[in-house]
């Protein structure tokens, strides 16, 4: 499973990239607004750090305006995936953009039938928002499983990005479900890495190592 980071924060992106596990970045208007800087400059800077797909979202609501915005965003670089909301106009825009070979990430997906329509329109990526579904008492991961099955049934190439991840179990379940990608906030990435027994183990090994003489330690 590929791991994207769900942030627009440059420091977090640089840090995750330095771990050697980062395959891409997803942003959204909320994440960009937190950074309080020019959107296009921010996306350009992310583009210089990360080789994999970088999602940047349109804010227009009608198809022609979405397509116009998408073309401008795609002009930043080849690995820009334009995020398009899962609406009727969004589907129209995705269809046009797929013919132009512009990558799209269809966002705000909350059902498997929405996922089916996005794939039919030619989406490169589909982003089911599992945390927001869990928040209202629906099991978000069931949508991921259903989309996975539908895409397998018909051979759709659209890649599933599990989005709106809140905790490590979401990442674990995404991998078990066979999702193509999980987009993970930085604090959850850190939680994936940390285990108290790892820290205790290192501490014990180092304490025992110190019991050796300098000659014994030499290698
Ligand atoms: O980037 C989209 C998605 O991951 C948003 O997550 O936490 O705002 O539901 P959240």
């Amino acid at each position: 499973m590929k791991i994207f980071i769900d942030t627009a924060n440059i420091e977090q992106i640089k840090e995750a990239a330095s771990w050697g596990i980062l395959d891409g970045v997803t942003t959204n208007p909320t994440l960009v607004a937190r950074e309080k800087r020019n959107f296009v400059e921010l996306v350009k800077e992310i583009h210089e750090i990360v080789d994999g797909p970088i999602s940047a979202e349109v804010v227009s609501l009608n198809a022609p305006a979405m397509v116009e915005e998408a073309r401008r965003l795609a002009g930043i670089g080849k690995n820009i995936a334009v995020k398009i909301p899962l609406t009727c106009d969004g589907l129209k825009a995705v269809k046009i953009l797929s013919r132009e070979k512009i990558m799209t990430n269809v966002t705000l997906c909350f059902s498997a039938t929405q996922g089916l329509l996005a794939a039919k329109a030619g989406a490169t990526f589909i982003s089911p928002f599992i945390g927001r579904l869990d928040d209202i008492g629906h099991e978000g991961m069931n949508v991921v499983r259903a989309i996975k099955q539908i895409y397998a049934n018909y051979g759709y190439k659209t890649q599933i990005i599990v989005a709106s991840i809140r905790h490590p179990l979401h990442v674990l379940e995404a991998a078990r479900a066979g999702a193509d990608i999980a987009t993970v906030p930085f604090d959850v990435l850190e939680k994936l890495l940390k285990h108290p027994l790892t820290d205790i183990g290192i501490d014990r090994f180092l304490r025992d190592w110190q019991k050796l003489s300098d000659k014994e330690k030499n290698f």
Side-chain angles (χ1 to χ4, degrees):
M1 184 173 68
K2 288 183 178 166
I3 293 186
F4 291 1
I5 188 167
D6 195 25
T7 186
N9 182 277
I10 295 293
E11 294 316 310
Q12 292 179 347
I13 293 166
K14 280 186 180 163
E15 179 61 22
S18 77
W19 297 358
I21 50 93
L22 192 65
D23 299 303
V25 178
T26 53
T27 69
N28 63 38
T30 303
L31 295 171
V32 169
R34 275 184 207 153
E35 302 308 309
K36 302 213 177 309
R37 49 179 290 200
N38 177 270
F39 176 40
V40 171
E41 280 171 20
L42 182 60
V43 175
K44 280 184 181 162
E45 195 172 339
I46 297 171
H47 186 262
E48 279 162 24
I49 303 165
V50 179
D51 291 332
I54 298 158
S55 289
E57 190 155 342
V58 299
V59 288
S60 301
L61 295 177
N62 67 76
M66 282 178 184
V67 169
E68 192 45 47
E69 259 190 83
R71 285 178 184 142
R72 276 190 280 128
L73 288 169
I76 293 173
K78 267 189 122 171
N79 53 340
I80 300 297
V82 182
K83 255 180 153 179
I84 308 272
L86 221 163
T87 60
C88 187
D89 275 76
L91 291 180
K92 291 179 195 171
V94 168
K95 188 76 194 174
I96 294 165
L97 295 167
S98 75
R99 286 199 199 105
E100 295 181 16
K101 307 272 179 259
I102 291 176
M103 285 199 293
T104 51
N105 174 0
V106 178
T107 188
L108 292 165
C109 170
F110 295 97
S111 76
T113 49
Q114 287 182 315
L116 170 61
L117 295 183
K120 285 191 74 72
T124 316
F125 302 102
I126 181 73
S127 289
F129 274 32
I130 58 163
R132 292 191 195 183
L133 281 167
D134 288 359
D135 288 346
I136 58 160
H138 290 256
E139 214 173 309
M141 202 55 73
N142 283 344
V143 173
V144 173
R145 292 188 194 101
I147 293 175
K148 171 93 186 156
Q149 187 183 356
I150 291 165
Y151 288 5
N153 286 349
Y154 299 105
Y156 288 119
K157 297 276 177 273
T158 303
Q159 296 171 58
I160 304 170
I161 303 181
V162 177
S164 185
I165 280 178
R166 303 264 195 272
H167 49 70
L169 278 181
H170 277 152
V171 181
L172 178 66
E173 285 303 312
R176 289 172 65 120
D180 300 286
I181 300 143
T183 189
V184 186
F186 186 72
D187 66 308
V188 180
L189 269 185
E190 286 183 310
K191 288 177 190 160
L192 293 179
L193 176 66
K194 287 274 173 201
H195 199 290
L197 287 178
T198 304
D199 297 334
I200 291 167
I202 290 170
D203 194 51
R204 274 193 206 152
F205 285 153
L206 290 183
R207 265 189 288 123
D208 289 340
W209 183 255
Q210 292 313 322
K211 292 172 191 163
L212 295 177
S213 69
D214 283 348
K215 199 175 163 202
E216 288 165 332
K217 278 192 276 195
N218 201 15
F219 66 91

